[in-house]
Amino acid sequence: MRHLFTTLCASTYLVIWIVLSPQFGWSQPINTPSILEMPSKVVKVPFTYQNGFLIIEILFEGVLPLRFIIDTGAEYTILTQKAISDLLGLTYEREYDMIGSDMVTVIKALLVRDVDIEIKRMKLMHRDILVTKEDYFQLNYFTGSPIHGIIGADLLSKFVLHIDYERQVVSFINPSNYLPEDGYAEIPMTLHRNKPFLYLYTQIHEKTESRPFKYLLDTGASLPLLLLTNSDPAIRLPDQVIQGILGMGLGGFLTGAKGRIQQVHLGPYPINNLVGSFQDVNLYPDTTYLQGRHGILGNLVLDRFDIILDYPKSKAYVQPNDDYSDPFPTDRSGLFLISTGFDLSTIMVQDVLPGSPAFKAGIRTGDILRSFNGWPVSFFGLQGLSRRFRKDPGKRVKLKIKRGRELLRRHFTLKDYI
């Protein structure tokens, strides 16, 4: 059996990145070559920007409207709900093993050929995709709404991809004779297995110099950035960090540190004083699957820009949007929340960072949030609560929680704990 390595992690958010072994042997069937039909040179698709994810609607196999995440960090397109492919009677050709982020849990995936996907009248026909045998990703829990799969680089790399975070529109552009508009800064981009990488100058703290590090540009990452310690001698932890759980991954929790980073340059544009995650590269038994990268650049930095990825020419273009100069949003509670239940309306505490305001207030893993400052949590939803826990320091928070059969009241003050 062949092996496919997959890692998914969260840092009060969630990160998805897919790495496949060189022996994967992915190819289109000889008798059914892939076909792309575009109604025009540019297909503009609205997306929902939900808890740091870009979610678009697709038509699957010409009959089912589904919601997929645009993920530049995933090599392949994945259907995470096997019940859908079972319902449609799709044929599973081969099975692959995937390894979870704990490097222990074995995850099963199936290859399905000759699948048709339609994105706003743009037809991608006779495609190969993966179907996970179970919903290991559980993306619904992190977005608070139904998610059925991931659009990966096997599809995205056919286009020039323009992501307008401000207007929440992603444009699929025919790459022939494409020229970027004026006002965009060009950044060299390298592609490995169709995934985009950028070298960005980064100053971790005042005692270190600014150095170029290799980042995976990952729209499947709902965080600012993550750096891999020990991947370069210059990557050292800031003076003040919180050690512990970074978030939940496939098969278990990921440990590391969170701390402030002095500055990252996206081309000529500096991004200052952001909270980043640090993970030890030695957690990965085979670092060749990291493809030489030092970290991940996620949506919570990218969403301050118009981003254009010219895959055929290996170039990226960026232009700041109106959010570029805003203060960097930072969680000030220490809570890691997920949506659960049949209709995803139950908000549960998945983890609490030690030493954070919520931890000191006595809130613990497994607690169910019932009300926020006197209002039912259903009024806010997962995304609305996450925004409120990023309010200015000094804001008072009153929570009613359910723990087992008990109803408890807890209160704390938002503050910077990093």
Side-chain angles (χ1 to χ4, degrees):
M1 183 174 291
R2 305 181 186 213
H3 292 274
L4 164 67
F5 290 89
T6 301
T7 300
L8 178 152
C9 63
S11 178
T12 314
Y13 311 102
L14 181 69
V15 183
I16 308 164
W17 52 272
I18 311 293
V19 182
L20 292 89
S21 68
Q23 294 80 28
F24 185 63
W26 192 278
S27 62
Q28 292 287 341
I30 295 175
N31 295 327
T32 53
S34 177
I35 296 174
L36 167 64
E37 291 183 359
M38 298 184 68
S40 58
K41 291 184 177 180
V42 180
V43 177
K44 295 185 177 182
V45 181
F47 65 81
T48 302
Y49 192 47
Q50 200 161 0
N51 261 14
F53 291 102
L54 287 71
I55 304 167
I56 65 169
E57 295 184 358
I58 72 165
L59 188 64
F60 190 77
E61 284 290 272
V63 291
L64 285 180
L66 302 180
R67 303 174 82 236
F68 274 49
I69 285 175
I70 296 287
D71 188 356
T72 58
E75 288 189 39
Y76 292 100
T77 297
I78 300 174
L79 177 68
T80 60
Q81 310 288 325
K82 183 173 178 290
I84 293 173
S85 49
D86 288 344
L87 176 67
L88 295 175
L90 301 184
T91 301
Y92 305 111
E93 184 166 307
R94 279 183 271 173
E95 182 177 294
Y96 298 92
D97 281 346
M98 302 194 291
I99 305 300
S101 55
D102 60 354
M103 297 300 167
V104 175
T105 304
V106 177
I107 299 158
K108 302 294 185 180
L110 301 166
L111 173 64
V112 176
R113 296 190 183 273
D114 199 22
V115 171
D116 293 345
I117 294 173
E118 184 175 332
I119 305 174
K120 200 178 179 184
R121 296 186 296 112
M122 179 176 65
K123 296 181 179 180
L124 302 112
M125 297 178 288
H126 308 308
R127 301 297 312 178
D128 293 350
I129 68 168
L130 286 176
V131 179
T132 54
K133 295 185 75 172
E134 298 179 28
D135 186 10
Y136 302 97
F137 293 92
Q138 297 182 329
L139 297 170
N140 302 351
Y141 294 166
F142 300 95
T143 61
S145 62
I147 302 295
H148 306 101
I150 297 164
I151 297 290
D154 59 324
L155 295 184
L156 302 177
S157 61
K158 309 299 181 186
F159 306 94
V160 173
L161 197 69
H162 182 184
I163 305 174
D164 187 335
Y165 286 90
E166 198 167 30
R167 293 179 174 83
Q168 297 190 14
V169 172
V170 57
S171 298
F172 295 81
I173 304 171
N174 187 322
S176 60
N177 302 319
Y178 172 76
L179 292 174
E181 300 175 22
D182 293 337
Y184 286 84
E186 180 182 324
I187 305 176
M189 179 175 77
T190 58
L191 295 174
H192 297 294
R193 301 182 69 84
N194 292 325
K195 296 185 297 183
F197 292 82
L198 306 176
Y199 280 91
L200 306 179
Y201 274 87
T202 305
Q203 184 179 13
I204 298 175
H205 51 84
E206 293 179 352
K207 298 177 183 178
T208 60
E209 63 179 6
S210 184
R211 294 277 301 274
F213 296 128
K214 184 180 181 180
Y215 291 91
L216 171 64
L217 191 156
D218 190 357
T219 62
S222 177
L223 50 63
L225 61 81
L226 179 146
L227 281 166
L228 295 170
T229 56
N230 297 327
S231 65
D232 188 285
I235 299 178
R236 293 180 289 171
L237 293 179
D239 292 335
Q240 184 178 353
V241 297
I242 286 184
Q243 296 279 355
I245 301 296
L246 293 178
M248 190 180 76
L250 286 176
F253 286 100
L254 303 177
T255 58
K258 292 174 68 70
R260 290 195 175 272
I261 294 174
Q262 185 85 5
Q263 189 176 82
V264 177
H265 275 82
L266 187 55
Y269 304 109
I271 302 104
N272 300 313
N273 193 32
L274 62 156
V275 174
S277 299
F278 296 84
Q279 191 180 21
D280 194 334
V281 72
N282 295 326
L283 292 175
Y284 301 95
D286 188 348
T287 56
T288 59
Y289 291 101
L290 297 174
Q291 296 165 320
R293 69 166 164 261
H294 302 108
I296 293 172
L297 185 70
N299 279 325
L300 301 191
V301 166
L302 297 173
D303 63 11
R304 294 165 175 256
F305 297 87
D306 257 17
I307 305 288
I308 299 173
L309 303 179
D310 189 338
Y311 283 93
K313 295 180 182 177
S314 295
K315 293 180 180 180
Y317 302 92
V318 299
Q319 183 183 70
N321 61 31
D322 290 342
D323 296 331
Y324 170 68
S325 299
D326 289 349
F328 219 90
T330 303
D331 172 72
R332 294 185 168 96
S333 70
L335 289 173
F336 179 53
L337 305 175
I338 62 173
S339 292
T340 65
F342 177 76
D343 58 357
L344 299 173
S345 63
T346 300
I347 308 297
M348 186 178 79
V349 177
Q350 182 67 29
D351 193 48
V352 191
L353 280 177
S356 65
F359 186 89
K360 291 178 179 179
I363 299 173
R364 295 295 181 262
T365 298
D367 289 345
I368 303 295
L369 271 58
R370 286 296 186 86
S371 70
F372 175 93
N373 287 349
W375 292 83
V377 295
S378 59
F379 181 79
F380 305 102
L382 182 62
Q383 181 165 281
L385 283 175
S386 298
R387 282 199 302 265
R388 279 157 180 80
F389 288 130
R390 296 196 295 265
K391 292 288 187 179
D392 293 338
K395 291 285 186 181
R396 191 77 167 164
V397 171
K398 297 179 181 179
L399 297 177
K400 182 186 292 184
I401 63 174
K402 183 180 180 182
R403 182 179 298 168
R405 295 183 178 181
E406 291 185 278
L407 281 177
L408 306 172
R409 298 181 187 275
R410 295 289 185 265
H411 62 268
F412 57 86
T413 302
L414 297 180
K415 71 173 186 178
D416 291 323
Y417 52 89
I418 297 177

